[in-house]
């Protein structure tokens, strides 16, 4: 039946603000009932909201006062009932485990045994030496995570994913330490050994290190020349090619290698030193690289481009992160020079400014206090802008109409992170609540009424654009769908949705729809970081 009451299908922590959306033209009174039909809460929804992004009228109810653990549904006279959801202190533990395990399941270059990967098991894939584009040189580039529904491995989105997973770990170590590699028992934790989370992240870092050239710069990516058909990863036997170096890849790598040092130092000082050398070397290479027009696939290669035309925010991040890691004045000078021109913001693969801001704000080395205050002020202003939009949206999301583009769910998660930053900088609860609303949006309180994370909630995405899932006929769990894409960019969604269609509903749960329903490591990482943040409170 057509849904008209929308909640977070994965549930709520008892202390969380809990909001529900009603798609209705008339005012709404509602009840929250237990699984056996007892009414435990009665409420009336707030004022009417004309929701232009979703092309509908909404009312919003608040049942935060209900804190007792249990399983519930929301009902209202003339509307169809909500999905069942739970209130409990541990509702997000399984969600976190699944979303993090996705990275393990995306591993390239090693056997994934059935005992760990279940039906997604496969033999080591993409193990051939790669051609360095345009030369006869060959290179070992095995390892890393497959980027998305395809099997390419790209430095720029990889760096973003690593940064976000590290931040998730740092923000909420107790949640992160519950993560265990699939197939491992949950109680192997021993404080001297590398936590499973960090072990997984290291798998990507190890691969990134292989893409660093002798001169310090980074090849942009390793992939086949073109996307393969719908086959398992170990069946893709085409030649692998390493694309030319880029400033964005070099800067992102320098930054993320520098960021990683402090996480690995305690467990593996030799590895931490290796990261430190690699970061410094990449930075020196970056310094003499010309500003460029963005990476473009060279003739013959047609896999993912990640052709961000602006490399200043990446250089900004690198400078800040190396300053925080090493304290050399040259890094500080570089960062401050950029930041005095413009303060950058963003958690996305094309806009990396916030990572730089976080590094500069938290460095132990000396800083320019005025600049620091200005960064803080701008971060709070950004959170305030997002809060204002969220407060006027029927689903509490701060996605503006034009932000429903390819990967809008990443934008939703990153918006939540900007709100969470506002909370950390001011202590204002409304920022935390709005950050949590971005999570709830992704997990079911959205105009599609779908849980956008596969294998979670009561009614999740079932047909993501993800080669192993399509090949095996079952969606791998724990993957965040790209989300509604107003300007559809794949034949499947173009064939299904009319030209004029509300952007917030432009998602097609069909495996062909890569512009609305693909998955990607850096969409999952945004989700993981948001989850770790709001659960910490
Ligand atoms: O940022 C602009 C915005 O200013 C503008 O208003 C809006 C209007 O449509 O577009 C925004 O740009 C979009 C951009 O993503 C934002 O990140 C582009 O339209 C959109 O085409 C672009 O899509 C990217 C897509 O590749 C196509 O290049 C996605 O971000 C990116 O996540 C996706 O990445 C692919 C890899 O290439 C290959 N592997 C799978 C992966 C996920 O689908
Ligand atoms: O599977 C590919 C996906 O990862 C990319 O995001 C998308 C856009 O670049 O392309 C997909 O591959 C399609 C290709 O572009 C055209 N032929 C069909 C491929 C699978 O649907
Ligand atoms: Zn592979």
């Amino acid at each position: 039946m057509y849904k008209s009451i929308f909640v977070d299908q994965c549930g709520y922590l008892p202390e969380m603000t809990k909001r529900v959306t009603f798609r209705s033209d008339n005012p709404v009174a509602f009840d929250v009932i237990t699984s056996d039909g007892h009414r435990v809460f009665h409420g009336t929804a707030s004022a009417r909201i004309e929701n232009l992004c979703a092309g509908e009228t909404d009312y919003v109810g608040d049942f935060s006062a209900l804190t007792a653990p249990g399983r519930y549904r929301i009902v209202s006279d003339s509307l169809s009932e909500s999905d069942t959801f739970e209130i409990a202190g541990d509702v997000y533990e399984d969600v976190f485990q699944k979303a993090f395990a996705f990275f393990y399941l995306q591993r390239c270059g090693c056997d994934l045994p059935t005992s760990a990967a279940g039906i997604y098991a496969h033999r080591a894939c993409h193990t051939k030496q790669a051609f360095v584009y345009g030369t006869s040189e060959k290179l070992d580039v095995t390892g890393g995570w497959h980027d998305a529904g395809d099997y390419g491995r790209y430095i720029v989105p990889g760096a973003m994913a690593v940064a976000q997973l590290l931040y998730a770990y740092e923000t909420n170590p107790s949640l992160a330490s519950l993560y265990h590699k699939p197939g491992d028992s949950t109680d192997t934790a021993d404080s001297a050994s590398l936590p499973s989370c960090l072990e997984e992240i290291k798998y990507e870092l190890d691969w990134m290190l292989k893409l660093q050239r002798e001169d310090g710069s980074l090849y942009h990516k390793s992939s086949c020349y073109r996307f393969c058909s719908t086959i398992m990863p170990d069946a893709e036997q085409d030649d692998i090619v390493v694309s030319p170096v880029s400033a964005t890849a070099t800067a992102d790598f320098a930054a993320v290698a520098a960021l990683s040092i402090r996480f690995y130092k305690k467990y593996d000082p030799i590895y931490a030193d290796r990261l430190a050398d690699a970061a410094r070397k990449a930075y020196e290479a970056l310094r003499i690289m010309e500003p460029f027009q963005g990476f473009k696939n060279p003739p013959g290669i047609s896999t993912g481009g990640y052709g961000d035309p602006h490399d200043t925010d990446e250089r900004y991040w690198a400078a800040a992160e190396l300053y925080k890691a090493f304290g050399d004045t040259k890094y500080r000078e570089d960062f401050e020079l950029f930041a005095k021109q413009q303060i950058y913001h963003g958690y996305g693969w094309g806009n990396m400014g916030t990572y730089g801001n976080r590094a500069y704000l938290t460095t132990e080395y000396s800083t320019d206090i005025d600049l620091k205050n200005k960064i803080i002020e701008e971060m709070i202003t950004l959170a305030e802008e997002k809060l204002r939009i969220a407060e006027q949206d029927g689903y509490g999301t701060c996605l503006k109409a034009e932000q429903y583009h390819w990967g809008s769910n990443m934008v939703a998660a990153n918006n939540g992170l900007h709100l969470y930053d506002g909370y950390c900088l001011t202590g204002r609860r409304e920022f935390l609540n709005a950050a949590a609303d971005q999570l709830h949006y992704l997990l079911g309180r959205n105009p599609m009424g779908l849980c956008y994370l596969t294998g979670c909630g009561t009614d999740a995405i079932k047909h993501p654009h993800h080669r192993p899932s399509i090949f095996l006929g079952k969606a791998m769990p724990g993957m965040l769908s790209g989300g509604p894409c107003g300007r559809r960019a794949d034949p499947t969604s173009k064939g299904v949705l009319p030209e004029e269609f509300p952007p917030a509903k432009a998602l097609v749960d069909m495996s062909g729809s890569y512009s609305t329903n693909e998955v990607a490591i850096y969409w999952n990482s945004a989700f993981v970081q948001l989850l770790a943040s709001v659960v910490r409170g």
Side-chain angles (χ1 to χ4, degrees):
M1 191 170 150
Y2 197 60
K3 292 186 192 183
S4 46
I5 306 183
F6 304 91
V7 292
D8 183 333
Q9 298 175 16
C10 295
Y12 301 82
L13 300 175
E15 67 275 16
M16 271 180 164
T17 297
K18 304 172 195 75
R19 298 189 184 108
V20 47
T21 299
F22 302 94
R23 178 181 291 150
S24 168
D25 291 325
N26 305 305
V28 175
F30 67 96
D31 290 328
V32 184
I33 59 172
T34 59
S35 10
D36 48 9
H38 290 293
R39 178 167 111 172
V40 289
F41 184 89
H42 178 75
T44 311
S46 69
R48 181 185 175 94
I49 296 176
E50 293 308 332
N51 188 333
L52 297 177
C53 292
E56 62 184 39
T57 306
D58 300 324
Y59 285 83
V60 177
D62 189 317
F63 59 105
S64 306
L66 178 65
T67 57
R71 289 188 71 77
Y72 305 99
R73 272 172 301 152
I74 296 181
V75 295
S76 175
D77 276 351
S78 54
L79 303 173
S80 54
E81 60 185 38
S82 77
D83 285 295
T84 304
F85 61 94
E86 200 179 348
I87 296 178
D90 61 359
V91 283
Y92 300 125
E93 288 178 11
D94 178 57
V95 177
F96 186 85
Q97 172 64 28
K98 286 186 172 133
F100 210 109
F102 170 60
F103 295 90
Y104 172 78
L105 295 170
Q106 289 289 98
R107 279 190 187 193
C108 183
C110 66
D111 286 348
L112 293 190
T114 308
S115 58
I119 61 164
Y120 306 101
H122 62 77
R123 302 304 301 269
C125 52
H126 306 107
T127 50
K128 279 193 216 168
Q129 285 217 319
F131 287 99
V132 176
Y133 184 79
T135 72
S136 56
E137 203 188 318
K138 291 260 200 140
L139 196 67
D140 164 31
V141 295
T142 52
W145 301 314
H146 299 134
D147 182 55
D150 65 319
Y151 298 134
R153 289 161 291 145
Y154 315 111
I155 291 290
V156 167
M160 170 181 163
V162 166
Q164 293 197 306
L165 295 182
L166 289 173
Y167 272 124
Y169 176 79
E170 190 166 67
T171 305
N172 196 337
S174 56
L175 180 66
S177 64
L178 296 178
Y179 172 71
H180 54 94
K181 192 163 132 191
D184 282 2
S185 81
T186 46
D187 54 19
T188 47
D190 132 23
S191 62
S193 61
L194 192 63
S196 295
C197 280
L198 295 183
E199 185 191 327
E200 192 52 54
I201 297 167
K202 185 172 180 293
Y203 195 79
E204 180 77 353
L205 283 165
D206 287 347
W207 163 76
M208 291 180 118
L209 285 162
K210 294 183 181 177
L211 267 75
Q212 183 169 35
R213 262 185 3 180
E214 204 36 58
D215 69 357
S217 60
L218 268 282
Y219 294 114
H220 194 69
K221 58 173 175 175
S222 59
S223 69
C224 293
Y225 285 88
R226 59 192 74 82
F227 293 122
C228 62
S229 57
T230 305
I231 52 180
M232 287 298 280
D234 50 346
E236 188 177 38
Q237 294 291 342
D238 293 352
D239 284 343
I240 299 170
V241 61
V242 156
S243 287
V245 298
S246 73
T248 43
T250 304
D252 287 345
F253 172 77
V256 88
L259 165 65
S260 303
I261 299 167
R262 67 174 186 271
F263 293 86
Y264 292 94
K265 210 173 199 146
K266 175 174 156 201
Y267 303 101
D268 189 347
I270 295 173
Y271 189 64
D273 284 347
R274 210 175 136 208
L275 291 168
D277 290 345
R280 283 187 184 276
K281 225 170 119 178
Y283 196 85
E284 290 316 309
L286 178 67
R287 275 185 131 192
I288 54 171
M289 276 170 113
E290 297 285 329
F292 79 143
Q293 297 307 306
F295 175 85
K296 283 196 177 55
N297 270 328
I301 301 183
S302 57
T303 50
Y306 296 104
D308 169 15
H310 309 286
D311 60 9
T312 317
D313 51 310
E314 284 77 10
R315 291 173 186 262
Y316 173 99
W317 177 26
E321 207 68 78
L322 271 88
Y323 184 53
K324 176 169 167 137
F326 307 116
D328 303 13
T329 44
K330 64 173 173 184
Y331 304 131
R332 174 181 175 177
E333 283 164 12
D334 285 357
F335 176 78
E336 291 179 354
L337 203 63
F338 288 129
K340 282 174 185 167
Q341 298 267 319
Q342 185 183 336
I343 292 168
Y344 291 86
H345 301 275
Y347 279 108
W349 62 263
N351 296 293
M352 301 283 210
T354 304
Y355 300 101
N357 296 333
R358 287 180 72 142
Y360 190 72
L361 292 183
T362 55
T363 175
E364 290 167 9
Y365 300 108
S366 58
T367 48
D368 177 332
I369 297 299
D370 291 340
L371 178 59
K372 224 171 176 171
N373 287 335
K374 190 148 182 281
I375 293 174
I376 292 175
E377 213 176 281
E378 282 200 16
M379 288 174 77
I380 297 170
T381 303
L382 183 64
E384 274 165 349
E385 282 167 19
K386 306 236 177 251
L387 182 63
R388 262 197 303 281
I389 303 167
E391 282 169 349
Q392 287 159 19
D393 185 273
Y395 294 85
T397 165
C398 29
L399 285 169
K400 296 189 237 172
E402 67 273 19
Q403 287 184 316
Y404 290 95
H405 53 63
W406 193 324
S408 66
N409 280 346
M410 174 194 85
V411 182
N414 286 342
N415 280 338
L417 293 172
H418 289 301
L419 285 161
Y420 189 75
D421 288 340
Y423 168 65
C424 294
L425 293 168
T426 62
R428 283 163 52 189
R429 301 285 304 180
E430 64 263 38
F431 285 137
L432 174 62
N433 296 340
D437 275 342
Q438 308 317 302
L439 180 75
H440 301 318
Y441 167 85
L442 295 172
L443 295 177
R445 187 184 165 216
N446 58 57
M448 301 294 297
L450 287 170
C451 177
Y452 290 149
L453 198 77
T454 57
C456 295
T458 31
D459 185 13
I461 290 288
K462 287 189 183 61
H463 307 288
H465 182 77
H466 178 249
R467 282 175 174 70
S469 299
I470 305 171
F471 183 84
L472 296 162
K474 191 167 169 37
M476 183 182 277
M479 306 191 295
L480 185 69
S481 160
C485 180
R487 276 220 317 252
R488 287 156 306 283
D490 65 80
T492 301
S493 58
K494 281 183 183 162
V496 173
L497 298 177
E499 193 56 47
E500 291 299 318
F501 200 71
K505 289 177 178 159
L507 181 147
V508 177
D509 187 15
M510 290 169 70
S511 62
S513 184
Y514 47 80
S515 72
T516 78
N517 206 29
E518 191 166 345
V519 301
I521 52 172
Y522 53 102
W523 300 342
N524 255 65
S525 64
F527 176 85
V528 166
Q529 191 186 345
L530 177 64
L531 180 60
S533 303
V534 302
V535 168
R536 187 187 85 161

